[in-house]
Amino acid sequence: MTIYKNMADYYQAIFPVGKKLDFLKEGFKGKKNLLDIGCSDGRVAEALSQEGFELEAIDLNEDMVRVAKEVSKAGSGFSVSQVDMTQVDGYFLESSIDGIYCIGNTLVHLDSYELIEETIKAFKRLLNKDGKLIIQILNYDFIYDNSIRELPLIENDKIKFKRKYELEEGNVVFSTKLLIKESGQEFKASVNLYPLRKSELERALKSAGFNSISYYGGFDGKDFSEKGLPLIAVAKSIREELPSIHC
């Protein structure tokens, strides 16, 4: 996707690791091997590797994969591959992973609810019996209910990043304008997103077999709010114990 080709080398300045590390570290406490789906520049995976987790990281965009491999080579050496998230269960072994995270609004790059549901089912097949899935998207209920057409500006000494939404029925046209302050270069791009509602996300998770789902309103761990932009789901399967039968 062109939208990410020009972002790859500046991704750290746009979306630093920040509070993601502590949230994921706590969320995957007691787990060992993790899969980062939509790893972008790989810096979240690298940070988790430095904390002792074993990481596999995938992304579809070749430029993001290139940067992630550079980050890995200079750091812990975690595995990075160019893989479509809809094809993960043809690439990784079933029941082989302790935890999966798919953050950065990655999941909604799939173009339909049906494809999202099937992809979450594929994620579930990769997880072992005690595995956990963490998904972060935006709260599209809030966005549509309030006709939000521009996301908060991201600006620092290196970049200025504008993000606009064109809201359609069943589709969002996501347009960006990235200014590199040192060079004065400006990159414009757009991509279509599926506006996944919270109820749809929950339905897909339950359809995949997750029966314990918690929601958060940010990587600071605060409670989910219907009036906020962030939406994080933490999903797992709790096995019900059969009652003992005494003869």
Side-chain angles (χ1 to χ4, degrees), residues 11-203:
Y11 198 86
Q12 183 180 22
I14 305 168
F15 299 113
V17 174
K19 295 177 181 178
K20 302 182 192 79
L21 174 59
D22 287 341
F23 185 92
L24 294 172
K25 186 170 66 171
E26 179 64 25
F28 292 124
K29 183 181 292 184
K31 307 299 183 186
K32 184 178 181 182
N33 62 313
L34 306 179
L35 174 59
D36 182 337
I37 294 179
C39 68
S40 63
D41 66 357
R43 286 186 168 85
V44 173
E46 173 61 24
L48 286 166
S49 294
Q50 295 292 344
E51 294 291 333
F53 293 98
E54 296 179 3
L55 264 293
E56 296 264 4
I58 65 168
D59 203 286
L60 184 58
N61 181 270
E62 62 182 354
D63 291 282
M64 288 295 191
V65 169
R66 169 183 57 78
V67 174
K69 286 183 175 181
E70 292 170 359
V71 169
S72 173
K73 186 176 180 180
S76 61
F78 62 92
S79 174
V80 183
S81 303
Q82 186 176 3
V83 178
D84 188 325
M85 63 179 154
T86 64
Q87 305 297 319
V88 289
D89 59 351
Y91 195 85
F92 298 99
L93 294 176
E94 188 172 318
S95 303
S96 65
I97 296 169
D98 295 333
I100 295 173
Y101 61 97
C102 181
I103 61 175
N105 214 35
T106 297
L107 189 64
V108 299
H109 286 72
L110 302 180
D111 63 10
S112 69
Y113 170 79
E114 291 75 19
L115 185 55
I116 288 172
E117 182 181 87
E118 288 306 310
T119 300
I120 289 177
K121 287 179 180 179
F123 294 172
K124 180 67 168 62
R125 288 191 288 270
L126 298 185
L127 289 170
N128 61 37
K129 61 183 180 180
D130 297 315
K132 184 182 287 188
L133 171 64
I134 296 178
I135 291 173
Q136 179 260 318
I137 60 173
L138 294 185
N139 179 5
Y140 285 99
D141 292 296
F142 177 70
I143 289 170
Y144 270 76
D145 291 348
N146 293 276
S147 298
I148 293 175
R149 300 183 183 279
E150 188 163 359
L151 300 182
L153 176 69
I154 298 173
E155 185 171 13
N156 52 49
D157 60 341
K158 294 182 179 178
I159 58 92
K160 185 175 184 179
F161 188 53
K162 293 183 178 181
R163 300 170 290 169
K164 292 188 176 182
Y165 271 0
E166 183 179 336
L167 306 180
E168 302 174 347
E169 183 68 30
N171 183 64
V172 175
V173 181
F174 176 41
S175 299
T176 64
K177 182 160 63 173
L178 174 62
L179 171 67
I180 311 303
K181 291 187 173 181
E182 183 178 16
S183 65
Q185 289 178 289
E186 189 172 88
F187 303 104
K188 295 179 181 180
S190 64
V191 66
N192 291 326
L193 306 175
Y194 179 79
L196 186 69
R197 304 293 186 120
K198 180 172 178 283
S199 60
E200 291 180 305
L201 175 59
E202 183 160 324
R203 179 166 23 122

Side-chain angles (χ1 to χ4, degrees), residues 19 23 136 215-225 230-232:
K19 295 177 181 178
F23 185 92
Q136 179 260 318
Y215 295 99
Y216 298 88
F219 288 112
D220 54 4
K222 66 183 178 183
D223 292 338
F224 170 73
S225 170
L231 170 57
I232 300 173

